[in-house]
Each structure stands twice: as C-alpha cells, then as structure tokens.
C-alpha cells in the first residue's frame, strides 16, 4: 500500500493566498518536502510555515544557487529516492510548491520520477501571473484577447517577434534580463504601458512603471504589458 | 468614508480551491455581489455558498444568456449604481468572481466603473488554466517555454498562425467552437497530444484526449497542447 504524493501550490507568497485545500493537506502532512537554496531559508517553506505540523518530517530539496534555473537533475534523483521511500512505507508526502506546481514549477521533475510509482495529486495554486495583475490594478486579459507568457531569458529576436502580435503579455523571470527587456520594449513602443512588479503580495512588493524599474531586478519579478484594447472582441 | 470594494477570485469550482483570504473576506461580508444567469443558479455563488453569512445582502448581477460573452454594458451600469450606493454608505462590498477576477473575468466592468469612486482590492484566485493542467496530470509550461492562451472564438487563420510558433498552448472558452478547433489542430498535427477538459475540479469534471471530446462542449471547457519538448531550455 503506497502513500500518496501531493504537489501542492502555495500561491505567490502571501500565506493567505494559499487555498483551503493546500492548508488542509499541509496541516495534516506527516512528511513535507520543499525546494531550498544552499544558503538561506526556503521561500516555499516560509509561505507554509504556520501550517506545518510540529512533528512533521521535513525534506529540504537543496538546489545549488548556480543551478537554480537549470537544476542539476541529480538533486531530483536523490529527492525522489528519499520521497519514494516514504511513499513505499505507506506515508503520504506533501511537496510544497511556490505558485502553482505545473506553471513553470520544479515539481515536474519529481512528478516525472514518481508518478509511475505512487498515486499523485496536483493541487493548483494562485500564480504570480494573476497576482501581479491584481496588485497592479490592471486586468491581465479580456474577452477574446490572446495572452502570451514570455520567459525573460528568451533572445531579443524571438521576444520582438512575439511582442509584435496583438494581445496582452507577461514577461516572467525578469531578473538580470531587465535592462535588455526594457530596451526591446522601448524599441517597440511598448514600454510606456508596461508595469514592473516584484514580490507581488509580499510585504516587500514593488509595483512601478517600467521606466522606473531598478536595473538590478530580482529573479521573481515580472513585466506586464496590457493589450492595446482590453475590451476588444477580436 | 467610503466602503471598500473587493473583487475576490473563487478559483475554478471546487470550493476548497478558494484561498484563505477569499474565504475570510466572504465570511465577513455584509454585502456580496455575483454574476448570475437569467435562469438557474449562479456558478460563482455556488462556489462560495458555504462561506456567505446568513444575513448578508446579496446582489445578483443578472447577465442575459444571449449576452453572456459580450455582456450588455447597461447591466454593469445598474450593478455599479447598486454597489456604489452601498460603498457610499460605508459598507464594504465583496464581488464573487469565478476563477481570477482579472483573468478573462467580468469583474473588470465593475472595476472600470467603481475604481475611481472607492478603494478597491483585487484578490487573485486559482485559474482554470492551471487547474486543467493539474487535473490532466501534465505540466502546463516549463523552464523557458512560451505559453500562449488562445480564446476559442478566434478565427482559423489567427489560431493557425499562433499555433505554428513553438511553445505550449491553452485554448479557453471552447464551447461550440470545438469541432472547428479540432479540425485546425488536426490540420497542424497538434491534435494527437492535445487534452480536452471541462468543469475541472468539479464532480462532473471531464478529461479526455481531444479525439474523444464531445462535439457539443460546454462554454467552460479547455484544450491543452503541451510544448514539443517541455524540458527544452530555449
């Protein structure tokens, strides 16, 4: 009798943006796993901290900083072994996931390794995408508008090609790419309506017109570009 | 002293996918408003039903069925007047929103009319987008993959042009467009990997390979098309 693996979305950072289901599962979990940096606190754990049961077994999945964007698969091999042992012993395991597990999330690496061996349930969470729109006070997309989500590391040519199409855009994982992204957007006359955000929903949240964004943006930052006509019924 | 307007995302349908914050605000609300059809129950109200206080004033915003997709703006003028009167009397008003208020949501029509007159807070919710990925057991987008969200009513030529680009896709508001969308996807050799979903997270949820989807799809249905290589670091 295998335990069940839960990939649980925690939302964007404010613990109150966790779902009731995530909260229930975390409170009841005897084993929780979460991504963690090699130095400092785990962001995922910090969101869920108040819900984790005092006696719970904790499995930090330590991702070396330099591999943060293209993680060493060996880390997930080891984590899957540790988690797999709990599952085989009949214990459920709750994996804490920033945002939503399947929206640019690292949970997929565990999912790939464990989905064939144990029952798995993925619990969706509030994404940074819609949180940024809420915090900026601007609808993300309307009616029959196309929404395109662009990772910041994309090359200029692909970015420009995508941004030339109609619709609304969100550029994620902005980080060190900010000065380059701003140049691309300025060159396409899209910078004027763009909003820069970081740490949306957290006490240190920043919301600024793109022109006023810091040169040195954190990894968890985003640029939102509204559609030219948000009410357009294309 | 004006009351505060809250646009509160309820998530995709399962009441447990409501956030802790949405739950707290709804429980404490003395005035709640929600979209409702001209016949039958309000989906938004049904998600929040257990949290609404017994004595709360309820304001159904009745959208005539035939105008469901391009709502009569007069309905929102009237609703904004009714809600505005409560706000002016110092009462907070919680507007219940299916999914997320600013992700293809009708809350924007109230927001436009009331944001200048009273303080407004938008509380993001879990979208059907990531819920469908969770329920399908397939990551929505990975690493540096582009995600494009396409409304089903788009014309064939625009759909085909968008779908010819790399990345992952979600087609929303499928409804009566399903047979046409399936033909477009089959013509582009994308139908084989596509998943059809309706009512994700609800007891009547359906998850099927696109080839097996019903000809007559409900409005709240979706097609997910994964990227060609979900781990590709483009």
């Amino acid at each position: 009798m295998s335990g069940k693996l839960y990939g649980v979305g925690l939302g964007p950072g404010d613990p109150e943006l966790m779902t009731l289901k995530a909260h229930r599962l975390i409170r009841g979990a005897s084993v929780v796993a979460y991504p963690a940096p090699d130095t400092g606190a785990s962001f995922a754990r910090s969101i869920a901290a108040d819900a984790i049961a005092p006696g719970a077994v904790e499995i930090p999945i330590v991702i070396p900083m330099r591999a943060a964007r293209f993680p060493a698969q060996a880390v997930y091999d080891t984590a899957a072994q540790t988690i797999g042992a709990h599952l085989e012993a009949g214990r459920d395991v709750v994996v804490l996931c920033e945002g939503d597990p399947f929206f640019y999330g690292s949970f997929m690496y565990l999912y790939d390794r464990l989905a064939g061996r144990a029952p798995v349930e993925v619990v969706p969470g509030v994404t940074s995408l819609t949180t940024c729109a809420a915090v900026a006070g601007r609808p993300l997309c309307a009616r029959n508008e196309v929404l395109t989500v662009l990772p910041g590391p994309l090359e200029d040519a692909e970015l420009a090609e995508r941004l030339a199409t109609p619709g609304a855009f969100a550029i994620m994982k902005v980080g060190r790419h900010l000065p380059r992204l701003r140049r691309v957007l300025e060159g396409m006359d899209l910078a004027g309506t763009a909003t820069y955000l970081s740490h949306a929903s957290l006490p240190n949240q920043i919301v600024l017109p793109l022109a006023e964004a810091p040169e040195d943006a954190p990894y968890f930052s985003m640029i939102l570009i509204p559609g030219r006509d948000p009410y357009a019924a294309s």
Side-chain angles (χ1 to χ4, degrees), chain A:
Chain A
M1 285 255 294
S2 170
K4 188 167 174 181
L5 177 67
Y6 292 92
V8 173
L10 301 172
D14 176 355
E16 234 198 335
L17 292 178
M18 201 182 304
T19 63
L20 300 171
K21 186 166 185 172
H23 194 251
R24 172 176 63 81
L25 289 170
I26 295 163
R27 285 184 61 181
S30 57
V31 184
V32 294
Y34 45 79
D38 43 9
T39 57
S42 158
F43 179 43
R45 192 192 185 287
S46 76
I47 301 172
D50 286 349
I52 297 172
V57 173
E58 300 195 21
I59 305 171
I61 303 168
V62 178
I63 314 291
M65 273 301 278
R66 303 191 64 186
R69 278 166 47 249
F70 304 107
Q73 294 299 316
V75 171
Y76 293 105
D77 287 341
T78 307
Q81 277 177 8
T82 309
I83 291 168
H86 284 288
L87 295 170
E88 278 157 28
R91 286 186 288 275
D92 295 347
V93 178
V94 168
V95 180
L96 307 177
C97 308
E98 300 148 5
D100 179 282
F102 276 171
F103 184 74
Y104 297 106
S106 62
F107 179 68
M108 75 180 77
Y109 305 121
L110 293 175
Y111 184 81
D112 273 358
R113 286 164 172 80
L114 293 164
R117 293 167 53 186
V120 185
E121 182 174 344
V122 177
V123 179
V126 174
T127 63
S128 56
L129 185 66
T130 65
T131 304
C132 282
V135 159
R138 299 170 73 172
L140 188 63
C141 43
R143 298 170 68 139
N144 286 340
E145 208 167 38
V146 175
L147 169 69
T148 308
V149 183
L150 300 166
L154 290 184
E155 290 180 6
D156 288 10
E158 179 166 7
L159 280 170
E161 194 180 329
R162 301 281 189 165
L163 290 164
T165 59
F169 299 89
I171 307 180
M172 312 233 332
K173 311 181 189 187
V174 166
R176 64 189 173 82
H177 302 281
L178 183 99
R180 183 175 62 83
L181 296 169
R182 185 152 48 190
R183 278 197 304 277
V184 172
L185 291 168
E186 281 166 353
M188 302 185 71
D189 203 22
L190 289 169
T193 60
T195 304
Y196 166 86
L197 301 103
S198 71
H199 301 103
S201 86
L202 289 165
N204 57 338
Q205 137 188 319
I206 289 175
V207 187
L208 289 170
L210 180 60
E212 298 168 28
E215 287 289 302
D216 190 20
Y219 182 65
F220 281 120
S221 51
M222 195 180 300
I223 297 170
L224 294 183
I225 303 145
R228 299 268 171 175
D229 176 3
Y231 280 25
S234 62

